[in-house]
Amino acid sequence: MIYVMCLALFVVGLYGICCKKNLIKIILGFIIMDYAVNLFIILIGYRKNGIAPILDKTMDVNKFALSSVDPMPQAIVLTAIVIGLAVTALMVAVCVRIYERYGTFDITKIRKLKG
Amino acid sequence: MERYIYLILLPLGGAFIIAALNAAVKSRDTRDITSDIIANLITLAMAGIALTSFGINGSYSVGGWPVPLGINIAADGFSILMLATVNTIAFCATLYSINYMDQYTSKSHYYSLFLLMLTGMNGVLLSGDLFNLFVFIEIASISSYALVGFGTEAEELEASFKYMVMGGIASTFILLAVAILYSSFGVLNMANISQAISVSSQTPLLKFSLFLFIAAFSIKAAIIPFHAWLPDAHPAAPAPVSAMLSGVLIKTLGIYAMTRIIMNIFAADVSILAPLGIISIMLGVLLALGQTDMKRLFAYHSVSQVGYIILGISLGTPLGILGGLFHLVNHSIFKSLLFLNSGAVAYRLGTRELNEMGGLNKVMPITGGTSFIASLSIAGMPPFNGFFSKLIIILACVQSGHPGFALWAVAGSILTLSSFMKVQKFAFFGKLAEKHKQIKEAPLMMSISVVILAVLCIATSLLVLPKVKNIVLQPAVDAVLSGAGYAKIIR
């Protein structure tokens, strides 16, 4: 169920990118899509009532492996969030410069290129 | 195998040193000259390392952590061939930038972004780990988004934003696909995943992730119908960056990564890509015919020539893959040369419109001569390199029982020839306009760099000789063909 909602979030983001006319809304769509994927990665490693993946000397390794959440997706998602931040920051920066040049955020009016 | 780690570390270190210099040194002239020297030395060293690496396969675990716990970098024939191409073109592009980038302010920012892009590309070629592949793709992409908008004019920003949105969607798809593979197998190492896939059944989830990978890398490689960003982004960038983007970036992030993942990890059938290749060849060249902006015309030709590479690789036969990879190397050489030439023309004339040029051979003989060589190469005229690779692709089409594909490839080649006849006629032959009489040849470093590439255009046609082919191209073809055998190079 929660995976379906995750996919729904992804599709909402994709819809925002494809169908919105405003640059800011496109950026928001991108952020939503990015976070849907991040959420998905976290869900992969999730385990109900799991413990933090820190191995203590007093714990038994096999019992630990059965009850802890998977630390790998958490490491991955940190990197993915940082990358997403970089892309978003660059997008917003370019967006501000576009506003300086064109005086609008409407993509139907920003059409100097034929594409 | 330690030599390969320098291909990632050198440009990464260089990028940060140049960025730090930018903050530390006050005088702009000193800053520009030091960043010129550092960047050129680094790319020269890297081209040296990459060109002497043929035949040295193997893998290296970063930080001494063994696979599958640690991250490893792996080099086989395919990556080595690509590394040699990427770093050679990068050296020519930085050599060219010494003079060309004088028109822009903040040259040192340019070099730091350029070296970061190079780090990303070398990382993609060497990574043996799926998530690291994604990280390096993002490093290369983000710096290329910034480089496309480097001039901060209205068109450049618009192109950069468009490229950024398309590239961002592609990257998200890649991340999602990597996450799906991790959830299925619990490892991220490419070799381990490849072994796991070869013994598992093809579940719908795996097919979905393969589909995501193909869509994402098609966007990065600008295969039609995913090409919309390329004709805007490549002309908007400064000339050496266009040369890098069109010459090697779309091949590294697009074709290399796609081939590696489809052929070596999924060991899947690639014949579905052949129609996409044909459509790219024909539509790309037809759209190019109508252009009058020089760089835009070249950009559409990139779409078309990438179609040839995809067509060759998607045949799946040894000859087809040989042709595809050979064309990949050749295309990166002559397309960078063409973009650098268009930059030289724009540097002296201040325009890219073909209608405003004419007779430039009289005042810019080196630029004219080298662009003539490049035009003949891309159009597939003997004895230049483009002829041999296109011939191999066409022969491979016939040999594998697809004469129809061969026919389309020949038609595309003829249209390419006609469109480059147009470039030559409008820009370099004909009557020289009165106002252009005073124009001088491009500056020294720019001329040296285009001459190196023009010599390479002729020299790489020697790769068809069996002795040279066995050292350079054959290992790459074997690596692609080995399928899941890729896993064996990881110790």
Side-chain angles (χ1 to χ4, degrees):
Chain A
M1 182 61 202
I2 196 154
Y3 285 99
V4 176
M5 285 164 75
C6 194
L7 191 67
L9 200 60
F10 186 80
V11 176
V12 166
L14 204 55
Y15 165 80
I17 293 174
C18 298
C19 304
K20 288 293 168 191
K21 300 266 184 287
N22 189 315
L23 286 186
I24 302 290
K25 287 185 183 162
I26 292 177
I27 296 177
L28 288 178
F30 178 77
I31 297 172
I32 293 173
M33 199 168 88
D34 208 26
Y35 273 79
V37 178
N38 289 348
L39 182 62
F40 176 70
I41 299 175
I42 281 292
L43 282 176
I44 293 170
Y46 179 73
R47 174 178 278 165
K48 210 171 179 189
N49 301 326
I51 58 166
I54 302 168
L55 183 59
D56 200 322
K57 278 198 182 113
T58 56
M59 286 186 232
D60 176 41
V61 175
N62 293 322
K63 208 187 257 175
F64 171 78
L66 284 176
S67 60
S68 84
V69 296
D70 186 355
M72 187 77 161
Q74 302 184 357
I76 289 176
V77 94
L78 271 180
T79 320
I81 287 173
V82 173
I83 291 172
L85 172 78
V87 177
T88 315
L90 192 62
M91 270 185 177
V92 174
V94 170
C95 195
V96 169
R97 297 302 281 270
I98 287 180
Y99 189 78
E100 280 173 12
R101 305 277 169 192
Y102 290 86
T104 176
F105 282 131
D106 189 345
I107 52 166
T108 52
K109 296 203 179 80
I110 305 172
R111 291 196 63 90
K112 287 203 177 173
L113 297 168
K114 282 160 264 161
Chain B
M1 290 314 97
E2 284 76 8
R3 65 187 303 154
Y4 290 115
I5 199 98
Y6 292 110
L7 288 177
I8 300 175
L9 287 185
L10 271 178
L12 188 63
F16 287 109
I17 289 172
I18 290 176
L21 271 181
N22 191 39
V25 182
K26 285 282 177 290
S27 141
R28 192 184 148 192
D29 286 340
T30 342
R31 210 161 61 197
D32 284 359
I33 291 170
T34 33
S35 51
D36 274 340
I37 294 171
I38 296 177
N40 277 288
L41 283 180
I42 288 175
T43 45
L44 179 63
M46 283 166 42
I49 296 177
L51 284 174
T52 50
S53 298
F54 286 108
I56 310 179
N57 288 4
S59 74
Y60 173 80
S61 300
V62 180
W65 294 89
V67 171
L69 291 178
I71 293 166
N72 74 317
I73 62 171
D76 62 0
F78 190 20
S79 359
I80 294 167
L81 176 73
M82 291 293 295
L83 281 173
T85 319
V86 167
N87 290 303
T88 315
I89 303 293
F91 171 62
C92 292
T94 39
L95 195 61
Y96 184 92
S97 313
I98 296 179
N99 289 136
Y100 185 82
M101 292 309 287
D102 279 340
Q103 329 169 47
Y104 294 84
T105 52
S106 72
K107 211 175 181 182
S108 43
H109 284 145
Y110 162 77
Y111 278 124
S112 50
L113 283 171
F114 188 95
L115 288 178
L116 268 183
M117 184 167 85
L118 202 53
T119 313
M121 279 193 274
N122 282 338
V124 168
L125 297 175
L126 285 171
S127 174
D129 178 285
L130 265 184
F131 187 69
N132 256 36
L133 183 83
F134 165 75
V135 172
F136 282 122
I137 284 177
E138 281 295 81
I139 293 176
S141 310
I142 294 175
S143 31
S144 70
Y145 305 151
L147 282 170
V148 166
F150 198 71
T152 63
E153 291 302 317
E155 292 90 356
E156 290 157 3
L157 290 170
E158 188 188 335
S160 169
F161 192 82
K162 200 170 177 182
Y163 179 25
M164 217 179 315
V165 171
M166 296 285 275
I169 295 176
S171 306
T172 318
F173 278 5
I174 296 173
L175 185 58
L176 186 59
V178 170
I180 291 173
L181 282 187
Y182 179 76
S183 74
S184 312
F185 301 115
V187 280
L188 279 170
N189 196 284
M190 293 207 230
N192 297 50
I193 290 182
S194 150
Q195 280 164 344
I197 285 182
S198 61
V199 293
S200 75
S201 55
Q202 292 285 324
T203 60
L205 209 53
L206 277 186
K207 284 201 177 118
F208 180 57
S209 79
L210 180 61
F211 160 77
L212 284 175
F213 273 129
I214 291 179
F217 292 130
S218 302
I219 294 177
K220 296 273 187 200
I223 300 168
I224 286 177
F226 303 102
H227 70 292
W229 59 271
L230 187 140
D232 291 336
H234 287 194
V241 178
S242 313
M244 285 297 281
L245 290 181
S246 243
V248 287
L249 189 94
I250 52 173
K251 306 200 182 66
T252 315
L253 300 194
I255 296 167
Y256 169 84
M258 177 144 71
T259 316
R260 179 65 89 206
I261 284 179
I262 299 179
M263 306 282 266
N264 287 138
I265 296 187
F266 282 88
D269 186 16
V270 279
S271 55
I272 92 166
L273 290 172
L276 285 182
I278 297 285
I279 294 170
S280 294
I281 291 175
M282 290 315 288
L283 273 182
V285 76
L286 286 175
L287 287 167
L289 275 173
Q291 303 298 324
T292 54
D293 181 328
M294 203 175 183
K295 282 177 93 175
R296 223 179 148 74
L297 189 148
F298 293 160
Y300 274 115
H301 274 293
S302 288
V303 176
S304 162
Q305 301 297 314
V306 162
Y308 277 101
I309 302 171
I310 292 289
L311 175 64
I313 291 176
S314 66
L315 290 174
T317 57
L319 196 62
I321 292 173
L322 176 73
L325 296 184
F326 190 19
H327 199 63
L328 188 155
V329 174
N330 294 342
H331 179 249
S332 56
I333 293 169
F334 52 63
K335 187 47 68 69
S336 328
L337 178 50
L338 284 169
F339 268 114
L340 293 184
N341 279 326
S342 77
V345 171
Y347 185 80
R348 286 303 189 202
L349 264 68
T351 179
R352 306 195 311 233
E353 273 301 312
L354 284 172
N355 295 329
E356 293 171 27
M357 300 171 192
L360 293 179
N361 264 342
K362 296 191 187 76
V363 284
M364 304 175 83
I366 298 180
T367 311
T370 48
S371 88
F372 189 63
I373 292 177
S375 301
L376 289 184
S377 308
I378 195 173
M381 287 286 129
F384 299 106
N385 52 12
F387 167 72
F388 295 106
S389 50
K390 282 189 183 174
L391 186 69
I392 294 175
I393 292 176
I394 291 165
L395 285 180
C397 286
V398 177
Q399 185 210 35
S400 65
H402 299 96
F405 290 172
L407 216 58
W408 283 114
V410 173
S413 190
I414 293 169
L415 287 173
T416 311
L417 180 63
S418 71
S419 120
F420 275 93
M421 283 295 140
K422 176 181 151 188
V423 174
Q424 290 295 323
K425 178 172 160 289
F426 276 88
F428 296 105
F429 290 89
K431 212 166 136 278
L432 185 65
E434 200 57 46
K435 60 174 177 177
H436 294 153
K437 284 268 161 66
Q438 303 306 318
I439 286 173
K440 290 199 274 307
E441 179 53 76
L444 179 66
M445 293 303 177
M446 283 160 77
S447 303
I448 294 178
S449 150
V450 290
V451 168
I452 295 176
L453 284 171
V455 170
L456 279 177
C457 263
I458 304 167
T460 40
S461 48
L462 291 178
L463 287 180
V464 283
L465 298 178
K467 266 190 187 149
V468 191
K469 191 188 85 175
N470 285 342
I471 301 173
V472 180
L473 286 173
Q474 203 57 48
V477 176
D478 293 341
V480 175
L481 275 178
S482 70
Y486 168 71
K488 285 197 195 81
I489 64 166
I490 312 285
R491 281 190 304 269

